Amino acid sequence: RTKGFSFTVSQLDPTKISKLYDVTLVAGEGDSAPPTLTSVLCGRTTLASMYIREFYLKDIPKDDKGSSAWLMKLFQEKDAMKDSFLKTGCFSELSGVPKHAPIKRKSRPWSLLVSLTLNSCVILPMFYVLFIGSFITRLVIVVVLALAWVAMQRLINITKISKSSNYGKKSAAASVETNETKGTGDKKQD
């Protein structure tokens, strides 16, 4: 699946876009909460680590075969970096990429303050109208809140990892079968 990348690289003007950035992100490992909407709503902390690399566009091959090989090599490096991080807690320990001093971001209380302020501006007037409004007004507000709750439950369900794609994952049976066919050189026929 490298055709889109190859086409894009061949069409980019290096005088306007001179660099390409690669970000490798690992989130929700160890004691960290998984990166889901449920974690955010429950106030659980999700730790994420990332490794950012910069590539000059002039160094990336423009032809289909060359850019495809470059991209495949990049993803092999990314896999090695992720494996290294999961085993050692460091992207470069086992993968061979250069090690850099980590940059740790402090928590930002302003994000919480803005969120609380905006939510208060919506929820407090709604509850005020709920308590002093007529029966119809109360019914409308309860229906709106119920619909918001249903929508939130659907969003939470979507972000669960168990609902994610299995693309790129190998099953245990496929791994055993691959290992067996590698040893004999036989190919499985359908």
Side-chain angles (χ1 to χ4, degrees), residues 36 38 155-164:
T36 63
T38 306
L155 286 173
I156 288 171
N157 228 6
I158 289 171
T159 64
K160 289 186 178 175
I161 293 175
S162 62
K163 305 279 185 193
S164 66

Side-chain angles (χ1 to χ4, degrees), residues 67-118:
S67 61
S68 176
W70 185 88
L71 186 63
M72 296 301 279
K73 182 178 178 271
L74 176 72
F75 275 96
Q76 289 170 349
E77 290 173 1
K78 289 171 75 72
D79 288 342
M81 290 167 61
K82 184 177 178 186
D83 288 341
S84 175
F85 186 84
L86 293 175
K87 291 176 183 173
T88 67
C90 177
F91 285 108
S92 59
E93 192 76 28
L94 302 174
S95 66
V97 296
K99 187 172 185 171
H100 302 286
I103 301 170
K104 296 196 178 204
R105 302 274 324 232
K106 295 180 181 176
S107 61
R108 300 177 297 175
W110 292 110
S111 299
L112 176 62
L113 184 63
V114 167
S115 178
L116 289 174
T117 302
L118 291 175

